[in-house]
Amino acid sequence: LGLVWLVDRNVTRSRLGRALRAVKASEPVAASFAIDVGRHKLFAFVLSGAFAGVSGAIYGARVGTVSASNFDYRFSLLLVVIVVIGGLGSRPGVVISAFIYVELPYLLIELFGERLRGWDLILGALGLMLAVRNHPGGAAEIVEHRAERRRAAAEAASVVAPEDRDDDEPVPALPEMPRPAALAHRPDVPAGTVVLDVHEVSVRFGALQAVDAASLQVRAGEIVGLIGPNGAGKTTLFNAVTGLVPITGGRITLLGTDVTTMAPHRRAAAGMGRTFQGIGLAKDLSVTENLLLAQHTAARYSTAEALLGIGRSGRIERDLRERAREAVVALGFERYADTPVRLLSHGQQRIVELGCVVMTAPDLVMLDEPSAGMSPGAAENLAVRLRDIRDQLGRTVLLIEHNLPLVLDVCDSLTVLASGAVIASGSIDEVARNAEVVNAYLGEAVPV
């Protein structure tokens, strides 16, 4: 138990544990942080199988003979009850739950006789139903929520109550983080170089042609806007570029490298950073943990070092935490450093998401409606931060946005989608005068 406890603690404190929690929260979000989703799922299966193997060896040695009858429905259900009531992801909760449901019944029968036999099954079933209905995270979730309420009550202003949240606060300056030393050096990209080339990309979902031979180019040092009416296929094209949906035709290149068949996590590692419409963060993790997660590719230590807590893992984790702390300070989020992201307001979550995107200095920053959910004042201030990404941080930006005043304010050029096809591309003035664009947004005049 001590060995398993130690290994599991090392996993949860390392890049492996953060990656697994990100995969659990959202596989597309995990892939955007350059996490190999399939590999980490396989790792979880192998590690849990190893734990089960060790347990089985000890159990077999203890009972002498093992057969299918040793593992009837009561024993199997008991394991589920222990984990669910103790709390998924909580080592102390599961150990305490195991004592209550395995050892305590024997102790009570010894003290008070056979009349108590079987009551543990009834109480276990009742506890399981209550946990699933009211607290899916088990006893650990109850303790965590109470601690959060106490912490919120001790602060001058709560971060929990939505009515107390301030979404009008300006978007702070984004952290100007250099590329992590652990990552391979990338030469500076001269202005005007084609960073992203999307050539006649098509995406089909059954009978629906979501993207129809769409082409666009994004050059270094630019903010390029991708606009269009609702349902035009903008986010689908974004997902195709980042590898989250398969394409049925076309080619995608990043800085001259064909990434058309590359896995999503490899595209992220190659220099694509993106945000999502619905906030691309692991919301059960804290602000600091999400900033650590964003540096997944910089955590260059082996799985063995992570499991055993030896070698480079400690030093690298300290370096990553220092970078995350610097980012928290730059965002002005010191107060929320250990707060789960889900407890922040929508606007604050957007700020953390933008901070995560720039942590590893990607060559291309892809922003999917960054002003969604922001107040008008915050959205207006966002324009300054978008220009900072280009001018201060030296990043190239591809932007999906429905806020046309924001688009016209910050973009160097525009590409317009309608019904999955590009209907206009060029400077803002050229696109604004294009009759097809006007008709796509406002509709054609009805002849009288």
Side-chain angles (χ1 to χ4, degrees):
L1 175 62
L3 176 63
V4 170
W5 183 290
L6 178 63
V7 172
D8 189 63
R9 187 199 65 174
N10 291 338
V11 168
T12 56
R13 291 182 178 182
S14 70
R15 62 179 176 86
L16 296 175
R18 292 192 295 268
L20 292 174
R21 293 175 71 180
V23 170
K24 177 185 176 184
S26 170
E27 292 185 14
V29 170
S32 74
F33 286 128
I35 294 169
D36 187 340
V37 173
R39 183 170 179 268
H40 281 82
K41 282 184 172 181
L42 180 60
F43 167 78
F45 179 80
V46 170
L47 184 62
S48 59
F51 285 169
V54 171
S55 301
I58 296 173
Y59 181 76
R62 178 174 179 268
V63 301
T65 302
V66 179
S67 66
S69 62
N70 292 101
F71 303 96
D72 60 10
Y73 74 93
R74 291 187 178 185
F75 189 83
S76 301
L77 179 60
L78 179 61
L79 297 178
V80 175
V81 168
I82 289 171
V83 174
V84 173
I85 294 180
L88 291 167
S90 171
R91 286 182 300 274
V94 170
V95 169
I96 294 171
S97 179
F99 174 79
I100 292 174
Y101 286 103
V102 177
E103 297 300 333
L104 188 59
Y106 289 107
L107 179 61
L108 294 178
I109 290 172
E110 287 289 331
L111 293 176
F112 301 106
E114 289 292 324
R115 64 180 181 274
L116 292 181
R117 185 177 295 278
W119 280 98
D120 56 313
L121 299 177
I122 298 174
L123 294 178
L126 179 62
L128 183 62
M129 288 188 293
L130 290 175
V132 171
R133 182 180 184 276
N134 299 324
H135 299 283
E141 182 183 85
I142 297 174
V143 173
E144 180 185 355
H145 285 181
R146 288 182 176 177
E148 288 171 356
R149 286 196 294 268
R150 286 196 300 269
R151 185 165 58 245
E155 294 177 350
S158 174
V159 298
V160 178
E163 63 271 16
D164 292 335
R165 295 171 177 164
D166 183 11
D167 277 336
D168 291 324
E169 59 184 293
V171 178
L174 297 175
E176 190 169 350
M177 306 297 295
R179 185 170 170 79
L183 300 182
H185 173 71
R186 288 200 192 111
D188 293 335
V189 181
T193 302
V194 176
V195 174
L196 177 69
D197 185 12
V198 178
H199 181 70
E200 296 187 354
V201 165
S202 297
V203 177
R204 177 180 286 276
F205 301 115
L208 173 65
Q209 188 71 47
V211 179
D212 187 8
S215 297
L216 66 88
Q217 285 189 340
V218 182
R219 297 183 179 274
E222 291 185 349
I223 300 178
V224 176
L226 181 61
I227 64 173
N230 287 328
K234 302 182 297 296
T235 296
T236 301
L237 181 56
F238 246 46
N239 290 337
V241 169
T242 55
L244 295 181
V245 299
I247 66 175
T248 55
R251 185 181 72 255
I252 302 166
T253 60
L254 178 68
L255 288 171
T257 301
D258 192 334
V259 299
T260 307
T261 59
M262 195 176 286
H265 69 278
R266 294 194 180 278
R267 300 190 199 195
M272 286 186 183
R274 69 163 294 177
T275 65
F276 291 79
Q277 282 186 0
I279 306 292
L281 297 171
K283 295 186 179 180
D284 284 337
L285 299 185
S286 69
V287 171
T288 299
E289 288 172 322
N290 272 277
L291 291 167
L292 288 169
L293 188 62
Q295 304 176 78
H296 181 78
T297 53
R300 295 297 183 92
Y301 51 86
S302 68
T303 300
E305 289 173 317
L307 292 176
L308 301 177
I310 60 175
R312 301 168 295 172
S313 61
R315 175 180 56 80
I316 292 176
E317 282 294 320
R318 286 191 296 272
D319 292 343
L320 297 182
R321 287 189 177 276
E322 178 59 25
R323 282 174 54 86
R325 188 195 64 79
E326 292 174 4
V328 167
V329 172
L331 293 172
F333 271 40
E334 297 98 317
R335 174 185 170 194
Y336 307 115
D338 298 319
T339 300
V341 167
R342 69 175 185 275
L343 300 182
L344 302 180
S345 70
H346 186 87
Q348 290 168 332
Q349 291 181 25
R350 283 287 182 198
I351 293 169
V352 175
E353 186 183 28
L354 287 172
C356 287
V357 168
V358 301
M359 282 298 289
T360 54
D363 296 302
L364 177 66
V365 175
M366 302 173 63
L367 306 178
D368 193 350
E369 298 191 35
S371 73
M374 287 188 173
S375 66
E380 182 178 346
N381 178 256
L382 177 63
V384 177
R385 298 305 164 222
L386 294 180
R387 283 192 290 268
D388 285 347
I389 294 176
R390 177 192 62 192
D391 301 333
Q392 303 299 324
L393 305 184
R395 309 272 71 84
T396 302
V397 180
L398 177 60
L399 171 70
I400 292 179
E401 187 53 70
H402 281 293
N403 187 333
L404 286 181
L406 174 63
V407 170
L408 298 177
D409 186 19
V410 304
C411 289
D412 301 298
S413 62
L414 296 176
T415 295
V416 185
L417 278 182
S419 300
V422 174
I423 61 173
S425 184
S427 68
I428 292 176
D429 290 339
E430 292 172 343
V431 171
R433 291 195 300 266
N434 189 296
E436 283 190 85
V437 175
V438 175
N439 291 338
Y441 273 97
L442 302 179
E444 299 184 33
V446 178
V448 294

